Amino acid sequence: MAEVFHRVVRPAILAASRWEGLRRTAERLPVTRQVVHRFVPGETVADALNAVEQLRYSGRMVSIDYLGEDVTDVDTANATVDAYLELLDGLGTRIEPAAAVRPLEVSLKLSALGQALPRDGEKIALENAHTICERAQRVGAWVTVDAEDHTTTDSTLSIVRDLRTEFDWLGTVLQSYLKRTHADCVEFAASGARIRLCKGAYDEPASVAFRDRDEVTDSYLRCLEVLMAGSGYPMVASHDPEIIEAVPALARENGRGVDDFEYQMLYGIRDAEQRRLAEAGDQVRVYVPFGTQWYGYFVRRLAERPANLTFFLRALAERRH
C-alpha cells in the first residue's frame, strides 16, 4: 500500500498543488481551513509567536516560515521582507542570552523574496535575504534558506554562498532525493555550514531525482554520513523512524555530542516523537509555518505520508456528518 501511495497517489496530489482553481476552492472551504490548523497554526505573526511559546515551554526549538513562494512582483517580495522583520522583532523579545545553538530561527524561501522576478530576480532576492539576516543577527536569531524545486538549486546555493561570507551562521536546506545532493553535502560540510537535510517534497523528474522511496532513504543516509563527518552542523529533518534510529550511532562514530547536531520535524507531525526526543535530552527544532498562503505547503504535507492524507480524509468525513 505504501508503495502504491508513493508511486501513484503522491504524484497526483503534487500535481493538484499546481491547479489554481482547486487552490481557490480549497481556500474557501471552512472544513479545509479547520484541518489545515493541524499543520499551520495560524495566519498572523501573533499566531506564530503563540506557537513558539508553546513549543519552547516543552523544551523544543523553533524555525518559523512565513508561507509564500513564486512571487511575481516586487511589492509582494517587499511585503514578505516586512513580515519577516516584524516576526524577528517579536522573536527578539523571547530570545535567551546568546548560546552556541540559537533556539529561534526563521526559514526563507528565496522565490518569496523575488528570486523568480524576470528583471534582476536573483539580485533582489539576495538583497532581501541580506536585510532579513541583518535583523536576525541584531535580535539573536538564526536564518535558514529553504530548498525549492530543482530548477532553483544553483541560484539558491549561489546566494547562500554570498550571504555566508558575512553571516557564517546561515543555514541552508539540501534535499536527498536530488542526485546532486551528495556532492553539495561534501562542499557545505567542508565549509562548516549548518545544513538541514530533508528528503524533498516536490515532484521532480527521474533525470535529476531518485523516485523510489528506498533510494531516497539510502541517499539520505549517505548524505547524513558526510554531514556528520564534516565540520558543520547537521540538522536531521525527517520523520522517518529508520533515519531517526540511525542518528545516534552516526553521531557517536563521528564524536558528536547532543549539542553538535539537531533533529527537525514539522509542526503537527509526530508530536509525541518530538517530545520523546526532547525529553531524552536531544535538540529538537520544530518547523512552524504561518500565513495566508498555506495551500501549497499543506498539499505537500498530504503528499509526504499516507498518514497525513488519511487524517485529512477522516476529518473531512467527520465534518460531513
Side-chain angles (χ1 to χ4, degrees), residues 43-227:
E43 297 185 349
T44 68
V45 169
D47 292 330
L49 294 177
N50 182 57
V52 169
E53 295 281 1
Q54 296 177 32
L55 291 165
R56 292 298 293 139
Y57 183 76
S58 66
R60 288 171 281 183
M61 303 184 293
V62 183
S63 185
I64 307 177
D65 172 28
Y66 178 63
L67 292 170
E69 52 194 270
D70 299 327
V71 163
T72 57
D73 63 274
V74 172
D75 288 344
T76 304
N78 291 339
T80 298
V81 174
D82 291 341
Y84 272 107
L85 298 181
E86 179 187 355
L87 173 62
L88 285 163
D89 287 341
L91 291 177
T93 64
R94 294 162 169 80
I95 289 178
E96 301 89 342
V101 176
R102 302 289 174 89
L104 301 180
E105 75 161 15
V106 297
S107 288
L108 311 176
K109 281 186 170 58
L110 293 180
S111 74
L113 301 182
Q115 184 182 30
L117 295 176
R119 185 184 296 272
D120 296 328
E122 191 167 314
K123 179 175 180 287
I124 290 168
L126 172 60
E127 292 172 350
N128 285 336
H130 187 277
T131 297
I132 294 169
C133 286
E134 282 187 321
R135 184 65 59 87
Q137 184 159 276
R138 188 184 314 163
V139 304
W142 268 346
V143 177
T144 291
V145 175
D146 271 329
E148 300 182 65
D149 74 80
H150 80 277
T151 64
T152 68
T153 303
D154 282 331
S155 171
T156 295
L157 295 184
S158 175
I159 290 172
V160 167
R161 292 184 193 99
D162 284 346
L163 290 169
R164 289 195 70 245
T165 62
E166 185 173 349
F167 309 103
D168 62 357
W169 43 262
L170 179 73
T172 194
V173 178
L174 297 176
Q175 303 175 100
S176 75
Y177 70 172
L178 295 182
K179 295 176 181 178
R180 63 171 288 166
T181 295
H182 188 274
D184 291 330
C185 284
V186 170
E187 175 195 344
F188 283 94
S191 71
R194 285 193 310 117
I195 295 297
R196 176 192 298 155
L197 183 63
C198 67
K199 287 189 175 181
Y202 295 84
D203 188 19
E204 302 285 21
S207 58
V208 300
F210 299 111
R211 303 276 296 185
D212 180 79
R213 182 181 53 170
D214 290 338
E215 287 184 327
V216 174
T217 300
D218 289 344
S219 175
Y220 192 108
L221 293 171
R222 289 195 305 272
C223 290
L224 185 57
E225 287 178 6
V226 171
L227 298 178

Side-chain angles (χ1 to χ4, degrees), residues 1-11:
M1 181 62 70
E3 191 64 28
V4 172
F5 179 86
H6 284 276
R7 288 189 178 277
V8 180
V9 180
R10 183 175 185 273

Side-chain angles (χ1 to χ4, degrees), residues 279-309:
E279 289 167 2
D282 289 301
Q283 296 190 124
V284 179
R285 192 181 304 269
V286 183
Y287 186 95
V288 178
F290 80 101
T292 59
Q293 304 298 310
W294 48 262
Y295 178 75
Y297 175 87
F298 175 61
V299 172
R300 288 194 292 274
R301 299 296 76 77
L302 295 183
E304 280 179 341
R305 299 173 67 229
N308 292 345
L309 182 60

